[in-house]
Amino acid sequence: MKPTRTINYVARETGLSAHTIRVWEKRYGAVKPARAANKRRLYREQDVARLRLLRQATDAGHRIGQIATASRFELQKLLGESWQPNPSTGNGNEEVRALLDAAGRAITEMNTLRFQDVLDRAAIALGSPAVLTKFFAPLARDMGALWRKGDVRIAQEHFATNLLKVFLSIFGRSFAPNEKSPHLLIATPSGQHHELGAMLAGAAARTDGWIATYLGPSLPVEELIHADQAIRPVAVGLSIVFPPDDAALRAELRALDRCLPRERPILLGGESAPAYQKIFRRHEVFVVPELDGIFPVLTHLRASAAKPRSKPS
């Protein structure tokens, strides 16, 4: 079978980070990807299946240096005899919940070092991009719910958001997009000050090989239109968290629908996004209620952008 899978796809399917995959290739010879004309690594589905087995075996306590060149049969036999999920890997719901609880305590106490430590542990345990969908997205939902109930103070919410912003701003850089990579423009519209969802979407896009430009929270529609004209992205992403019935926001989005180029697809994320979907009458709209739903949308948009446009008759 011809190798066609990119390292981003392999990372998403195996739960391994791109860095780990490269180390296992170069240092241990775990798999031998092909190279495309542009030097990008390309993998077969057999490589993906093999890396899954190696991930499971290392989770069970086996050292990669001892099993990297084992046959698939040997790995399956090894797992059949000894497979026990290691709770420190973050594969199970209990470990993820423990990490979320630890993050919640650090936010409540506003303990910078402890919160940073939890973020680092989550990233190592879950890998990329799984840490985004299994840890960061639930953390953002929990924070939003607690804030609306009054269980989290504004200072605590700002504390967590600012530290997460620093962490997510560098997340995914190792995937190294280039000038030919598709571009996603992201913001939250006017009045939308909760920006974690938008930042997570940007980080997820970067792990998928996109250039993601995030313009920040509560961006006036005229500024978003200006940015679109300057960047000419493949798509525009908007995060809308609360409320679902903001008349001023509806007016802003109608203006955006009128002024953005008709061919520009729009991604809507956030808890209240479905309530505003029908405002966009001129554009293809994708509602992404959960972060893991962004990946198939990005795949579709990348393929659509690569198709040559027919010339007007």
Side-chain angles (χ1 to χ4, degrees):
M1 181 182 294
K2 185 179 179 181
T4 59
R5 302 303 190 182
T6 66
I7 197 168
N8 297 337
Y9 173 89
V10 178
R12 187 162 68 245
E13 291 297 308
T14 63
L16 296 166
S17 68
H19 174 72
T20 297
I21 294 169
R22 294 189 188 103
V23 170
W24 285 10
E25 290 170 11
K26 293 181 179 180
R27 189 176 301 173
Y28 303 109
V31 290
K32 296 179 180 179
R35 293 279 184 169
N38 60 3
K39 305 300 183 183
R40 293 182 70 183
R41 290 173 169 83
L42 293 177
Y43 301 79
R44 301 169 299 170
E45 280 297 335
Q46 296 96 308
D47 296 325
V48 179
R50 177 174 178 76
L51 288 168
R52 283 199 196 99
L53 289 174
L54 289 170
R55 165 79 190 260
Q56 292 173 356
T58 55
D59 287 348
H62 298 283
R63 296 175 61 183
I64 185 62
Q66 296 174 334
I67 63 173
T69 58
S71 69
R72 182 169 183 173
F73 174 78
E74 290 170 332
L75 289 171
Q76 289 173 328
K77 183 178 179 182
L78 188 68
L79 289 169
E81 292 175 350
S82 63
W83 167 240
Q84 292 292 331
N86 184 341
S88 66
T89 64
N91 283 340
N93 292 333
E94 290 184 5
E95 174 62 14
V96 174
R97 190 67 255 172
L99 286 166
L100 289 170
D101 289 343
R105 289 192 296 272
I107 293 170
T108 300
E109 298 169 6
M110 300 181 71
N111 189 316
T112 298
L113 294 180
R114 189 176 298 171
F115 190 51
Q116 290 173 330
D117 177 68
V118 175
L119 300 184
D120 289 337
R121 285 195 286 124
I124 292 170
L126 292 168
S128 170
V131 67
L132 297 174
T133 58
K134 295 182 179 180
F135 175 77
F136 284 108
L139 178 61
R141 285 196 299 270
D142 288 351
M143 285 178 54
L146 290 171
W147 180 83
R148 285 194 292 276
K149 287 168 40 180
D151 293 338
V152 169
R153 299 183 66 89
I154 295 175
Q156 292 168 325
E157 194 263 348
H158 286 191
F159 161 83
T161 298
N162 287 328
L163 288 176
L164 285 167
K165 185 184 296 186
V166 173
F167 193 94
L168 292 172
S169 67
I170 61 174
F171 194 90
R173 286 187 179 180
S174 61
F175 292 85
N178 54 57
E179 291 183 357
K180 295 183 179 179
S181 299
H183 204 138
L184 179 64
L185 181 62
I186 307 170
T188 79
S190 291
Q192 293 292 307
H193 297 281
H194 297 285
E195 54 182 330
L196 281 183
M199 290 190 292
L200 285 168
R206 286 195 295 274
T207 68
D208 207 48
W210 287 60
I211 301 170
T213 298
Y214 172 52
L215 298 180
S218 192
L219 188 73
V221 66
E222 60 269 21
E223 296 300 323
L224 182 58
I225 293 167
H226 174 77
D228 179 85
Q229 293 170 345
I231 295 173
R232 298 185 182 277
V234 168
V236 170
L238 299 174
S239 177
I240 305 174
V241 176
F242 185 82
D245 53 357
D246 187 332
L249 177 57
R250 288 183 178 277
E252 287 251 320
L253 296 181
R254 290 190 187 99
L256 187 64
D257 181 51
R258 291 192 301 270
C259 297
L260 273 186
R262 185 185 296 270
E263 70 273 11
R264 191 81 70 237
I266 295 175
L267 279 67
L268 292 180
E271 184 178 336
S272 295
Y276 299 92
Q277 177 181 4
K278 292 183 178 179
I279 289 176
F280 296 95
R281 299 181 180 276
R282 301 174 63 251
H283 298 83
E284 186 176 20
V285 178
F286 300 88
V287 176
V288 185
E290 300 290 341
L291 185 63
D292 56 3
I294 197 173
F295 294 108
V297 173
L298 293 176
T299 298
H300 168 76
L301 292 175
R302 183 195 293 269
S304 298
K307 293 178 181 178
R309 294 181 182 175
S310 58
K311 295 181 180 180
S313 56

